[in-house]
Amino acid sequence: MSGSGFGDLARTPGVLRIIAAQLTARFPSGMLSLGLLFHVERRTGSYGVAGVVLAALSIGQALAGPATGRLMGRLGIRPVVIASTVLCAAAVTSIALLDLPPEGIAGLALAAGLTFPPITSAVRTIYPKLVPASMLGPLFSLDASLQELIWIGGPVLVTFLATGVSTTAALLLSAALLIGGGAWFSASRAVGRVRIPRSKRRFGVVLLRPQVALMTLVGFLVIASCAAIEASVAGAFGASDPTSGVVLSIWSLSSLAGGFVLGRLAMRPWSLALRLALVAAGAALTPFLPGFWGLTAALVVSGFGLAPALGVISAIVSSSVRFSDTAEAYGWTNTGQLVGVALGAALAGQALDRFGAPTAFACGALLAVLAALAATAGTRFFPDLKGVGAGPVPDTAPIPLPPSAG
């Protein structure tokens, strides 16, 4: 799409409204983990207990992603989003207000994860019905870029509230944003207008599509790399040093800028590999560039390819499956990324404790390199979207077979 692509999106009726609503509804994603960490440690005096609670939240979200995606095809997007929003907000509010033993907090965190609203899967399923297929690539890039605002603003807001007011206030604000953002998103005209056909295939069969399986794997590796690097930055500067927050914010801003610049380009089969090569190149510099300026420079390079890569992942999934399978497919890719967060952070944490920050950064770099290699190996399966829409395959049309190995 030409340089005017984002301007065309802004002029399309309903696009900016649904983007703003879904960003508000997803904003607690950038708040809840850190808010729970502060709150549970304050209540129990143990980071170990807090880690168990965060693991329960992540496990719940990972298990729920594909299932809620499938459920939206059976019950409709709006009922599933409303019900899950109410249940998740109730669980978070209970953690904030009730004096519970660690087991009770972990159980509620699991419940919050299992009922976390499937906004990401829902909105990426709605996008193909909101704009012409030719505008989907830039829209996915814009979506991936703007989500960086969640990871910049969410942690800052939670930290301010938890340290300046109370951890209870931080969690209650997360619950309020869940309700407010979920209500705004659910009330959007596009949410009520889009109907996902009920899939005729068994649950999980969509993973047999090589594009969906590869995007789940690549997303897992990319986000695991990001989580490892994030933990490594915090370990390099220390938990009480605000420098780490500045470095991570600059990294997110670079990703935001990269999305706006590279998101204008046509998506070719090799686009994902090239964007991830940029991510891996920057990540590979982190073990050798200690200090604020060195790490900032390395992460600016890495971040510039990050949001564009995530936008391509969404476009590949959208263009490779039937419309009735899109929500479940995005559920699987989201699950891969959630598992990546947990495993990447755990890997970096072990490396920090045993070997120090350079080795932890090397773990993040290795994961980024593996993501780029996986994308390169899968290039033959990826669609060429230059001059072609990234919309899903109609349920009445055959799905084209991927090219043979020969």
Side-chain angles (χ1 to χ4, degrees):
M1 177 171 278
S2 68
S4 64
F6 291 131
D8 293 337
L9 285 172
R11 289 187 291 271
T12 302
V15 168
L16 293 184
R17 188 179 302 112
I18 196 73
I19 288 176
Q22 62 97 6
L23 282 175
T24 304
R26 290 166 61 192
F27 203 79
S29 299
M31 302 172 62
L32 199 50
S33 293
L34 193 56
L36 283 172
L37 178 69
F38 284 130
H39 186 74
V40 176
E41 192 280 330
R42 191 76 55 86
R43 286 284 180 91
T44 66
S46 171
Y47 280 109
V49 173
V52 171
V53 170
L54 294 185
L57 177 72
S58 297
I59 290 169
Q61 288 179 287
L63 291 174
T68 52
R70 184 80 169 204
L71 202 58
M72 285 190 288
R74 292 180 175 273
L75 304 179
I77 296 175
R78 183 173 284 161
V80 173
V81 168
I82 291 174
S84 59
T85 296
V86 171
L87 292 172
C88 184
V92 173
T93 302
S94 298
I95 294 173
L97 298 179
L98 300 180
D99 187 10
L100 298 168
E103 297 82 3
I105 299 174
L108 284 172
L110 178 63
L114 287 169
T115 58
F116 200 84
I119 303 296
T120 302
S121 296
V123 76
R124 290 175 184 170
T125 300
I126 289 170
Y127 283 157
K129 301 298 183 181
L130 197 62
V131 300
S134 61
M135 298 172 68
L136 271 177
L139 181 53
F140 283 129
S141 294
L142 179 63
D143 178 275
S145 301
L146 291 178
Q147 75 178 3
E148 293 297 335
L149 299 175
I150 297 170
W151 308 112
I152 296 171
V156 171
L157 183 57
V158 161
T159 301
F160 171 77
L161 283 173
T163 58
V165 184
S166 72
T167 59
T168 298
L171 286 181
L172 290 177
L173 180 60
S174 298
L177 285 172
L178 276 169
I179 293 292
W184 186 10
F185 180 77
S186 299
S188 300
R189 183 178 302 174
V191 174
R193 191 170 64 236
V194 173
R195 296 286 185 272
I196 304 174
R198 180 177 295 197
S199 178
K200 297 179 176 64
R201 281 162 288 280
R202 294 190 309 276
F203 180 71
V205 169
V206 71
L207 270 177
L208 297 179
R209 294 292 300 164
Q211 295 88 348
V212 177
L214 280 166
M215 291 307 92
T216 301
L217 173 63
V218 170
F220 160 75
L221 291 169
V222 171
I223 301 303
S225 170
C226 292
I229 290 174
E230 183 176 337
S232 302
V233 170
F237 292 102
S240 59
D241 190 339
T243 304
S244 60
V246 176
V247 172
L248 293 174
S249 294
I250 293 173
W251 187 22
S252 292
L253 288 172
S254 173
S255 178
L256 181 66
F260 281 107
V261 174
L262 300 182
R264 302 169 184 268
L265 304 178
M267 295 182 182
R268 309 300 300 271
W270 35 261
S271 293
L272 180 59
L274 288 180
R275 285 157 172 77
L276 288 177
L278 194 60
V279 174
L285 296 174
T286 56
F288 310 104
L289 295 175
F292 174 80
W293 292 110
L295 284 176
T296 297
L299 292 180
V300 163
V301 173
S302 178
F304 201 75
L306 185 55
L310 295 175
V312 175
I313 287 174
S314 294
I316 288 173
V317 172
S318 174
S319 61
S320 301
V321 300
R322 298 184 190 275
F323 181 60
S324 58
D325 290 326
T326 51
E328 183 188 340
Y330 284 124
W332 285 112
T333 58
N334 291 340
T335 289
Q337 293 173 21
L338 286 165
V339 174
V341 169
L343 293 186
L347 180 62
Q350 291 294 319
L352 282 167
D353 288 340
R354 297 187 180 190
F355 307 107
T359 302
F361 279 117
C363 291
L366 176 60
L367 289 164
V369 169
L370 290 174
L373 291 176
T376 301
T379 298
R380 67 191 182 93
F381 293 109
F382 302 156
D384 188 343
L385 299 178
K386 182 179 181 180
V388 179
V393 179
D395 277 79
T396 56
I399 296 181
L401 294 173
S404 63

